[in-house]
């Protein structure tokens, strides 16, 4: 599943073609993706101008001049291509390549700016839906999402408050989208490694008994900021099937310090530990038992 850096990279790649442009024609080449398209889906999009293209957690949000919002989720194998007479590019950079087989082109946005934006999804786990901007606080996919980890409000105090008293592991808490938005398995492993915190540590240890942030919380927030910013700058990187809209694979996967490095020496200076892997909440966790406490 794509994580925040992948979705943000895709957003930036789609902006030039979509933001400020009118959807002159919309092609739906099937009746559904993960969910059926709403009956009025095409009618509410065709002819509308995309006034802004944003992101919330792992969702793309296109604001329309009608007051509606188009929500888009890539699922496990979804990707976009921007196609014009001169170019055929795919925004978003990921750990393994996405499909560009035309048989899996399910949605086509014909834009007044010239290019077409094509959504391709072999597994069809992605989805799109439209709703009124005035109803965004009630939108089921968005209403319970926590703070953006790169937003100004996300700091050690906020993270400590969200995890105070939690009996779950630190890793499980960070993967909970109600605690912090957009983090997934890869970047949680990386952030915990950089902050030298064990994925098995209790989430409640990020806060004192009075609910104030501990040094663990401060270190973790710094690590989350660093790893996400570096991944976005490098173009994103995630599980198989993801690409940028320009078709290039990202480079951050080559900068992983712990993820997918089972059996390799720990990269922390002065640490003689070996990276281990174990299954935690159904997902692979990579860590150094020696320096992550």
């Amino acid at each position: 599943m794509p994580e925040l850096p992948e979705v943000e990279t895709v957003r930036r790649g789609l902006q030039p073609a979509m933001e400020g442009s009118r959807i002159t024609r919309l092609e739906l080449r099937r009746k559904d993706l993960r969910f059926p398209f709403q009956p009025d889906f095409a009618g509410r999009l065709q002819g509308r101008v995309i006034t802004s293209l944003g992101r919330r957690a792992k969702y793309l949000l296109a604001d329309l001049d009608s007051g509606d919002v188009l929500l888009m989720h890539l699922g496990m194998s979804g990707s976009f291509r921007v196609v014009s007479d001169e170019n055929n590019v795919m925004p978003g950079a990921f750990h393994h390549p996405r499909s560009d087989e035309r048989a899996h082109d399910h949605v086509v946005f014909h834009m007044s700016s010239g290019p077409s934006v094509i959504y391709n999804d072999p597994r069809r786990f992605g989805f799109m839906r439209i709703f009124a901007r005035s109803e965004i606080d009630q939108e089921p996919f968005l209403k319970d999402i926590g703070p953006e980890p790169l937003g100004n409000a996300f700091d050690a105090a906020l993270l400590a408050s969200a995890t105070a008293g939690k009996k779950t592991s630190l890793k499980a808490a960070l993967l909970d989208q109600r605690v912090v938005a957009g983090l997934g398995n890869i970047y949680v492993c990386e952030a915990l490694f950089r902050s030298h915190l064990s994925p098995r540590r209790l989430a409640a240890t990020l806060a004192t008994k009075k609910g104030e942030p501990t040094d663990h919380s401060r270190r973790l927030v710094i690590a989350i900021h660093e790893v996400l910013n570096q991944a976005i700058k490098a173009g994103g990187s995630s599980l198989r099937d993801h690409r940028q809209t320009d078709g290039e694979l990202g480079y951050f996967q080559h900068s992983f310090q712990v993820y997918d490095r089972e059996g390799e020496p720990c990269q922390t200076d002065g640490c003689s530990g070996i990276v281990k892997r174990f299954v935690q909440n159904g997902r692979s966790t990579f860590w150094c038992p020696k320096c992550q406490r």
Side-chain angles (χ1 to χ4, degrees), residues 124-143:
R124 300 198 308 275
F125 285 166
F127 62 90
M128 299 182 189
R129 59 177 276 106
I130 192 166
F131 58 89
R133 164 58 75 169
S134 60
E135 299 172 358
I136 195 167
D137 290 340
Q138 290 77 48
E139 169 55 35
F141 292 104
L142 301 176
K143 65 178 183 178

Side-chain angles (χ1 to χ4, degrees), residues 244-291:
Q244 297 187 96
T245 47
D246 62 6
E248 294 295 323
L249 293 177
Y251 294 99
F252 187 72
Q253 60 264 32
H254 303 302
S255 300
F256 290 159
Q257 294 183 14
V258 71
Y259 185 83
D260 207 21
R261 290 186 177 274
E262 182 182 11
E264 296 183 18
C266 176
Q267 294 190 18
T268 300
D269 289 342
C271 180
S272 58
I274 301 294
V275 174
K276 302 292 184 181
R277 172 191 172 275
F278 69 97
V279 177
Q280 188 177 21
N281 302 114
R283 302 189 184 188
S284 292
T285 294
F286 298 89
W287 72 311
C288 174
K290 187 167 185 177
C291 70

Side-chain angles (χ1 to χ4, degrees), residues 223-240:
I224 290 171
H225 287 163
E226 287 179 349
V227 74
L228 292 179
N229 281 316
Q230 288 175 17
I232 291 170
K233 184 177 180 181
S237 54
S238 193
L239 299 179
R240 61 172 171 255

Side-chain angles (χ1 to χ4, degrees), residues 39 104 110 202 215 257 272 275:
H104 303 302
H110 297 274
L202 279 180
D215 182 60
Q257 294 183 14
S272 58
V275 174

Side-chain angles (χ1 to χ4, degrees), residues 25-39:
R25 185 161 62 94
L26 179 71
E27 291 183 57
L28 299 180
R29 296 181 175 177
R30 55 179 302 115
K31 296 180 179 180
D32 60 0
L33 293 171
R34 180 178 172 185
F35 310 115
F37 290 108
Q38 296 149 283

Side-chain angles (χ1 to χ4, degrees), residues 149-170:
L150 295 178
N152 292 333
F154 184 70
D155 58 12
L158 188 63
L159 183 58
S161 175
T163 56
K166 281 190 175 292
K167 304 302 182 184
T168 58
S169 70
L170 186 49

